[in-house]
Amino acid sequence: MVNQTSIVVLALLLLLLFESTVEQRLSSSTELTALFELRSSLGIRRGDWPRKVDPCSSWNGVRCENGSVSGINISGFRRTRLGEQNPRFAVGSLANFTGLVSFNASRFLLPGSIPDWFGQRLLALQVLDLRSCNITGVLPSSIGNLSSLTSLYLSDNRLSGEIPSSFGRLLSLSVLDLSKNSLTGSIPQGIGALSGLRTLNLSSNSLTSSIPAQLGGLDSLVDLDLSNNGLSGLLPANLFRASSLLQVIVLRNNSFIGEVPEVIWSISGLNMLDISRNNFTARLSNASSNDSNAIAAVLDISGNNFYGGLTTIVRRFSSVNLSGNYFEGRVPDYVSDNAASLGTNCLQNVLSQRTLTDCASFYAERGLSFDNFGSTNSSEPSAPESRNSDRSSNRNRIILAAVLGGAGFIVLLTSLLLLVQFLRRRKKVNHRGIGIGQVPLEAGPPSPGLASNFSSLADMFTYQQLLQATADFTDANLIKHGHSGDLFKGILESGLPVVVKRIDSRSIKKEVYLLELDFFSKVAHTRVVPLLGHCFEKENEKLLVYKYMPNGDLSSSLYRKNNSEGDGLKSLDWITRLKIAIGAAEGLSYLHHECTPPLVHRDVQASSILLDDKFEVRLGSLSRVCPQEGNGHSNRITRLMRLPQSSEQDSSDCPAASCAYDVYCFGTVLLGLVTGKLDIDASSKTLMKEWLEQTLPYISIYDKELVTKILDPSLLVDEDLLEEVWAMAIVARRCLNPKPSRRPLMKYILKALENPLRVVREDDSSSARLRRASSRGSWNAAIFGSWRQSSSDITVIPATYTSKAEGGTSFKRSGTTGSQGSSARKGGGGDQSVSHRHHSKEISTEA
Ligand SMILES: *[C@@H]1O[C@H](CO)[C@@H](O)[C@H](O)[C@H]1NC(C)=O
Ligand SMILES: *[C@@H]1O[C@H](CO)[C@@H](O)[C@H](O)[C@H]1NC(C)=O
Ligand SMILES: *[C@@H]1O[C@H](CO)[C@@H](O)[C@H](O)[C@H]1NC(C)=O
Ligand SMILES: *[C@@H]1O[C@H](CO)[C@@H](O)[C@H](O)[C@H]1NC(C)=O
Ligand SMILES: *[C@@H]1O[C@H](CO)[C@@H](O)[C@H](O)[C@H]1NC(C)=O
Ligand SMILES: *[C@@H]1O[C@H](CO)[C@@H](O)[C@H](O)[C@H]1NC(C)=O
Ligand SMILES: *[C@@H]1O[C@H](CO)[C@@H](O)[C@H](O)[C@H]1NC(C)=O
Ligand SMILES: *[C@@H]1O[C@H](CO)[C@@H](O)[C@H](O)[C@H]1NC(C)=O
Ligand SMILES: *[C@@H]1O[C@H](CO)[C@@H](O)[C@H](O)[C@H]1NC(C)=O
Ligand SMILES: *[C@@H]1O[C@H](CO)[C@@H](O)[C@H](O)[C@H]1NC(C)=O
Ligand SMILES: *[C@@H]1O[C@H](CO)[C@@H](O)[C@H](O)[C@H]1NC(C)=O
Ligand SMILES: *[C@@H]1O[C@H](CO)[C@@H](O)[C@H](O)[C@H]1NC(C)=O
């Protein structure tokens, strides 16, 4: 038994030995010489191709047939040190291997160009693999002579010039991979004759013009990749066939236009269709879909101009990228959220869509009608809130049904009760005013248990919920980097749009968000942005959730894209601007005067003034809110003691906790509303100073017309409204008084903004003046009280204006006539004018 087996094994071994010695031994001395020449010209190491042994049997990568070399595979070989120093495409001796079937030198550097004689001498060649060889030059047209060639891999080189049309004669070719070169020109029509071609990869070249219709003749094609070229035009109608064997079609990043041939959707084996980043303009096919392929199939049509509704065809693919198109309508249920990219479209109820303007003009340009995100009012700006509420109410209904159906009813009742109780408690707190001083504020770090105290405040979210709401805090949802954390847009599972502040507690002090939470636990005012919840699950990442404000903040919504005319900016009208100013003043006045202890905001700027769907102000950026210096009791003393030019002029990071600072900042906002330059406050202090020096001289209680010189050019105001503008400018200037003690209190600013005409208009009858004196006196005095002093700080009225001004005799010294023509003011100087207004006795009220 044992003997028999060993004899069989021995016989087999002998047979193998015989075969290798007899059949594989290199018989041609020419070829042997040529191999040694090749070894030295390419710098192949002796370890790979040793002397004194038969190359056919003992050299790495050399294959022989009938005693002659049939295959050379030096792929990935390391060169000798000498060869390394001067790598060249020196393969002249290959010409002597008339029976060479395959040459594989991939990843073996051969700087130089493919010799023309390849096509005349290597006529038996079937496989040529020169991938990543750093080859340069053009493709010799003689390669078209290699009629036995089945695989031609030349990708990742530096080939230039056109693809020779002679390639159309490579009738045995199965793989043509010329990707990642610098080939130019168009795809030769002749390629279409290669009926055996299975892979055509011409990606990442600089090919241009359209795909020749002849390519429709590639009956055996399985993989087609023409991506990253400059190809253009329509896809030939006959390019694809339903019976096609195609599995992969990649036309990404070209400039194709028009429609995608309908038949493409019925290619049954297709598992990858990537036509992204082109200019295809079409509806998505609603050919009946067959989801038998859905397991692995990928569809990427992102970055085109697809429009209309989503169709069931997407069911055929397991992963779809539809982003960057103009799809409209609702997202059907069969589009699964996690496998579909839907961003930058015109879809309803989806985050990060295009603006209404973009969508409407796209559809209008093509004479199509657009669903306006499902809203019936076509002129209304797209309010994401209303878009999202559809989905939310839908989902809510489903959730409600589910809850009511089960034992969850009890849970619902309980939570309702809890909610009622919570609301009651909050209300009570409001009535009592706020006791923010109870929590350690500036003194010492907050107690460790503090955070848990807030668990009853608003909702507790899980980290997972907020991750989901903001799509993993993707950059696309980032609103801005705030100084106390990054703000992200998100949509809760219920469909409610929210803003999530993500606070990295390693870089931002813990107290900052705890103070903000404390503020919210005590303040719930209609002028303060509502806090919806929080999440403290993560050690280093604290999340606060706020109500989403559809109109963003003032700095971003002062100008918005004009809906009706496509391009051009539309700015907020004056009525809205005044409304915003009043709203913000209400909020600040509440903080300054109605809270106990009185608070200051310390971050008043356009971007802190948030706007809901009706442009009602909700103050945001509340992380710097703190009690007023001296806790409201020693206001007068601190003010007296404070040096002029304090806090806001220096560049310290931490603004003073004084009302006067808020008022100053509010002044810049008011001035921004008048002049349209709201972005100034974000820029440098010196710019701000320059701007004020240029602007403030145009604001005078004695001259209405002057203000038109600084008026926002996009504001169209008639005579009546101009008086309001003038009034706001005057209030702004008062707020910007360099001396903090001369700035009016917020409550007076509010009154002045609520009654702008009374700021600037004279009362005709003295009885009316008397009647109103008591009610309007104090605020009006606050605005005008020390006008003269503040004017003299900066005012230099331009001389050019002097000559034009009507009756401007005493102009330079003390102002000029108002357009209302009050003779009393004329020439009287500031004192007289103030006393004429019956305010002089109230000058001191503000201090
Ligand atoms: C190999 O071919 C080259 C070029 O055709 C020729 O010059 C050379 O003599 C040949 N080598 C041998 C050993 O025949
Ligand atoms: C030669 O080609 C084959 C694949 O055809 C490859 O696996 C092998 O690593 C290559 N190199 C050598 C030295 O044989
Ligand atoms: C090798 O020899 C066999 C039979 O002798 C023949 O069929 C085959 O075509 C030859 N191969 C080459 C490459 O010459
Ligand atoms: C060439 O060799 C590499 C490995 O070194 C291999 O991956 C590749 O498939 C070979 N080329 C061909 C056409 O067989
Ligand atoms: C290819 O050749 C160029 C120029 O000769 C050289 O700069 C580059 O480093 C080479 N690439 C590689 C991968 O060696
Ligand atoms: C090979 O092709 C070149 C140019 O395409 C041609 O001039 C030459 O005659 C061809 N040689 C053979 C042997 O077919
Ligand atoms: C085409 O070539 C590129 C680069 O060489 C490669 O990344 C891509 O996968 C290839 N395409 C196909 C369909 O194989
Ligand atoms: C798109 O193709 C061009 C060449 O036509 C290339 O330069 C560019 O990098 C490609 N873009 C991407 C994102 O691949
Ligand atoms: C798409 O077409 C538009 C207009 O025809 C053109 O401006 C744009 O450059 C094209 N985009 C691409 C990627 O070809
Ligand atoms: C797609 O479906 C709609 C209605 O569902 C139909 O009106 C339209 O003609 C269809 N389009 C195509 C290309 O089949
Ligand atoms: C769906 O595919 C199955 C086989 O995978 C085939 O029998 C059926 O006819 C196809 N249906 C359509 C509508 O293409
Ligand atoms: C979808 O396509 C866009 C644009 O081509 C791209 O930025 C995005 O990363 C893609 N999404 C996925 C999930 O691949």
Side-chain angles (χ1 to χ4, degrees):
M1 215 27 213
V2 175
N3 267 352
Q4 269 181 355
T5 320
S6 49
I7 286 166
V8 172
V9 171
L10 200 66
L12 274 174
L13 276 176
L14 278 173
L15 195 69
L16 278 174
L17 202 65
F18 175 80
E19 277 209 334
S20 66
T21 46
V22 174
E23 296 238 342
Q24 300 293 345
R25 179 166 280 280
L26 189 60
S27 55
S28 151
S29 63
T30 318
E31 293 196 355
L32 186 65
T33 316
L35 275 177
F36 278 110
E37 274 176 21
L38 196 63
R39 187 177 82 166
S40 79
S41 70
L42 292 179
I44 289 166
R45 295 183 311 169
R46 299 204 169 159
D48 284 319
W49 287 6
R51 226 173 245 286
K52 290 183 180 163
V53 292
D54 174 51
C56 289
S57 55
S58 307
W59 284 15
N60 285 339
V62 174
R63 201 158 38 86
C64 301
E65 220 168 296
N66 294 352
S68 112
V69 174
S70 67
I72 295 177
N73 177 352
I74 54 170
S75 154
F77 272 26
R78 280 176 51 211
R79 277 200 173 84
T80 57
R81 212 171 299 136
L82 195 68
E84 201 116 6
Q85 280 164 7
N86 187 20
R88 281 173 304 123
F89 202 157
V91 291
S93 37
L94 276 188
N96 300 310
F97 305 112
T98 47
L100 193 66
V101 171
S102 127
F103 181 55
N104 186 348
S106 63
R107 291 182 290 119
F108 189 93
L109 292 188
L110 297 171
S113 48
I114 299 173
D116 201 37
W117 56 258
F118 260 45
Q120 278 131 32
R121 304 296 297 273
L122 303 177
L123 293 174
L125 205 60
Q126 292 172 18
V127 175
L128 180 60
D129 187 343
L130 300 175
R131 278 178 280 188
S132 310
C133 292
N134 213 0
I135 299 171
T136 55
V138 298
L139 286 167
S141 101
S142 66
I143 289 198
N145 296 345
L146 303 177
S147 54
S148 307
L149 207 58
T150 59
S151 304
L152 180 56
Y153 294 97
L154 296 173
S155 74
D156 192 23
N157 283 294
R158 296 187 287 141
L159 294 165
S160 54
E162 304 198 1
I163 301 172
S165 57
S166 63
F167 275 32
R169 286 184 289 153
L170 298 170
L171 292 175
S172 309
L173 209 56
S174 163
V175 177
L176 178 56
D177 181 357
L178 305 178
S179 62
K180 287 173 92 175
N181 280 290
S182 305
L183 298 169
T184 53
S186 51
I187 301 173
Q189 298 178 2
I191 300 277
L194 309 181
S195 56
L197 202 62
R198 293 170 58 79
T199 298
L200 177 60
N201 194 342
L202 304 179
S203 72
S204 302
N205 279 288
S206 302
L207 300 171
T208 49
S209 67
S210 52
I211 297 182
Q214 284 80 355
L215 256 50
L218 298 173
D219 288 332
S220 312
L221 209 56
V222 177
D223 294 329
L224 173 64
D225 190 343
L226 304 177
S227 61
N228 301 332
N229 277 290
L231 297 167
S232 57
L234 299 162
L235 295 186
N238 65 349
L239 188 57
F240 306 111
R241 254 182 285 255
S243 60
S244 159
L245 303 173
L246 275 164
Q247 293 173 7
V248 175
I249 300 175
V250 183
L251 305 178
R252 181 180 59 237
N253 187 18
N254 280 286
S255 298
F256 292 119
I257 57 167
E259 306 204 347
V260 183
E262 184 71 15
V263 69
I264 209 169
W265 307 105
S266 34
I267 300 174
S268 60
L270 195 64
N271 56 37
M272 153 88 112
L273 176 58
D274 182 350
I275 54 171
S276 61
R277 295 169 198 246
N278 277 286
N279 245 347
F280 287 114
T281 305
R283 287 180 187 277
L284 198 54
S285 161
N286 51 6
S288 71
S289 85
N290 202 341
D291 34 356
S292 58
N293 265 321
I295 305 106
V298 173
L299 174 68
D300 189 345
I301 59 172
S302 63
N304 281 290
N305 301 323
F306 281 92
Y307 60 89
L310 300 184
T311 66
T312 52
I313 198 74
V314 301
R315 283 206 319 230
R316 189 191 176 295
F317 300 89
S318 61
S319 150
V320 290
N321 191 342
L322 310 177
S323 65
N325 281 291
Y326 291 86
F327 286 115
E328 64 172 349
R330 285 156 177 273
V331 179
D333 291 335
Y334 53 76
V335 177
S336 77
D337 287 342
N338 44 8
S341 287
L342 301 172
T344 324
N345 273 291
C346 305
L347 292 164
Q348 294 171 33
N349 314 335
V350 182
L351 276 180
S352 318
Q353 296 297 290
R354 294 181 190 273
T355 64
L356 179 62
T357 321
D358 282 1
C359 295
S361 63
F362 173 88
Y363 278 83
E365 273 166 28
R366 286 158 186 81
L368 303 162
S369 67
F370 175 52
D371 70 2
N372 288 310
F373 293 111
S375 116
T376 43
N377 186 350
S378 63
S379 65
E380 206 165 289
S382 65
E385 194 170 49
S386 66
R387 269 193 268 147
N388 288 306
S389 59
D390 288 359
R391 183 172 246 196
S392 90
S393 65
N394 230 351
R395 282 201 186 167
N396 281 346
R397 240 174 277 142
I398 295 166
I399 292 168
L400 199 66
V403 168
L404 289 176
F409 186 52
I410 297 156
V411 178
L412 185 72
L413 265 184
T414 320
S415 43
L416 266 177
L417 275 174
L418 282 174
L419 184 72
V420 167
Q421 225 167 14
F422 166 71
L423 286 176
R424 244 195 228 155
R425 200 178 53 81
R426 246 172 110 144
K427 216 171 180 183
K428 244 191 244 161
V429 168
N430 278 336
H431 277 298
R432 268 192 277 117
I434 52 156
I436 203 160
Q438 290 156 358
V439 174
L441 282 170
E442 276 142 328
S447 61
L450 199 54
S452 60
N453 295 344
F454 298 116
S455 51
S456 58
L457 169 69
D459 285 342
M460 261 199 292
F461 290 98
T462 65
Y463 191 73
Q464 191 55 38
Q465 272 177 311
L466 297 181
L467 262 189
Q468 205 177 332
T470 58
D472 296 346
F473 295 107
T474 162
D475 280 352
N477 284 338
L478 181 69
I479 299 170
K480 68 168 178 181
H481 299 289
H483 55 70
S484 63
D486 294 342
L487 295 173
F488 290 88
K489 203 179 151 184
I491 290 195
L492 296 182
E493 212 173 15
S494 66
L496 186 70
V498 292
V499 170
V500 180
K501 179 151 81 181
R502 187 192 206 186
I503 303 156
D504 183 347
S505 55
R506 282 165 304 186
S507 59
I508 286 158
K509 273 190 295 179
K510 196 179 175 196
E511 298 91 274
V512 173
Y513 78 90
L514 287 178
L515 286 178
E516 186 172 345
L517 272 181
D518 187 54
F519 169 80
F520 275 112
S521 72
K522 286 153 184 154
V523 172
H525 188 262
T526 50
R527 289 301 182 196
V528 170
V529 66
L531 180 78
L532 301 178
H534 49 69
C535 166
F536 301 135
E537 257 171 51
K538 291 270 150 112
E539 172 97 19
N540 292 325
E541 203 176 327
K542 308 297 174 194
L543 304 171
L544 298 183
V545 183
Y546 309 88
K547 188 163 181 211
Y548 173 72
M549 291 290 128
N551 278 311
D553 64 51
L554 178 55
S555 63
S556 63
S557 68
L558 184 62
Y559 296 102
R560 47 182 64 240
K561 287 241 180 78
N562 197 342
N563 289 330
S564 44
E565 270 118 60
D567 51 9
L569 292 174
K570 192 178 155 198
S571 72
L572 290 183
D573 60 35
W574 176 252
I575 308 285
T576 311
R577 291 187 196 203
L578 186 58
K579 172 178 171 172
I580 291 168
I582 292 170
E586 273 175 23
L588 290 172
S589 185
Y590 168 76
L591 294 182
H592 286 189
H593 307 298
E594 286 166 55
C595 293
T596 30
L599 302 176
V600 280
H601 186 281
R602 297 204 300 169
D603 194 16
V604 177
Q605 52 173 314
S607 62
S608 307
I609 297 175
L610 308 180
L611 301 167
D612 76 3
D613 52 343
K614 298 186 181 65
F615 288 96
E616 291 295 350
V617 169
R618 298 286 207 149
L619 290 181
S621 302
L622 299 157
S623 60
R624 286 185 177 159
V625 169
C626 76
Q628 281 165 31
E629 267 171 19
N631 218 359
H633 302 298
S634 49
N635 259 354
R636 200 170 288 244
I637 298 164
T638 44
R639 272 182 205 214
L640 283 173
M641 308 246 309
R642 199 176 308 129
L643 297 168
Q645 311 269 321
S646 76
S647 47
E648 63 273 0
Q649 259 80 13
D650 64 46
S651 59
S652 92
D653 279 345
C654 199
S658 77
C659 289
Y661 176 69
D662 275 0
V663 167
Y664 183 89
C665 298
F666 187 60
T668 65
V669 172
L670 290 181
L671 199 55
L673 286 170
V674 169
T675 59
K677 296 203 174 81
L678 273 172
D679 46 342
I680 302 275
D681 57 356
S683 53
S684 81
K685 305 249 169 191
T686 44
L687 273 182
M688 172 65 101
K689 203 163 160 240
E690 255 172 46
W691 178 59
L692 290 180
E693 276 168 8
Q694 286 162 11
T695 314
L696 290 182
Y698 291 96
I699 300 171
S700 163
I701 50 167
Y702 309 115
D703 188 342
K704 178 170 70 172
E705 296 300 324
L706 256 189
V707 84
T708 58
K709 304 265 168 187
I710 55 166
L711 185 62
D712 183 352
S714 69
L715 267 183
L716 298 171
V717 292
D718 61 19
E719 192 70 6
D720 266 5
L721 292 185
L722 184 59
E723 291 199 317
E724 293 184 358
V725 175
W726 185 29
M728 189 188 284
I730 288 169
V731 175
R733 180 162 179 179
R734 274 297 273 121
C735 297
L736 290 166
N737 194 306
K739 297 198 173 75
S741 63
R742 297 240 173 94
R743 293 172 205 154
L745 293 181
M746 213 64 216
K747 56 185 173 189
Y748 299 134
I749 296 167
L750 174 58
K751 280 277 188 303
L753 291 171
E754 282 170 345
N755 304 282
L757 297 188
R758 291 205 212 155
V759 172
V760 293
R761 261 191 204 157
E762 290 299 315
D763 286 322
D764 291 330
S765 81
S766 55
S767 60
R769 227 185 295 143
L770 285 175
R771 258 188 282 116
R772 285 175 194 159
S774 55
S775 67
R776 88 180 233 228
S778 56
W779 65 263
N780 217 338
I783 304 302
F784 294 103
S786 47
W787 179 262
R788 204 165 136 258
Q789 291 95 314
S790 66
S791 320
S792 63
D793 288 336
I794 313 171
T795 314
V796 183
I797 293 169
T800 47
Y801 193 74
T802 316
S803 54
K804 285 183 211 148
E806 32 157 354
T809 43
S810 59
F811 193 26
K812 273 180 205 156
R813 213 173 309 138
S814 58
T816 186
T817 50
S819 63
Q820 294 292 304
S822 71
S823 57
R825 278 195 233 157
K826 202 184 221 166
D831 274 335
Q832 221 177 342
S833 149
V834 168
S835 66
H836 175 79
R837 284 162 174 251
H838 296 261
H839 300 148
S840 52
K841 64 173 188 286
E842 286 144 351
I843 287 178
S844 59
T845 45
E846 184 248 346

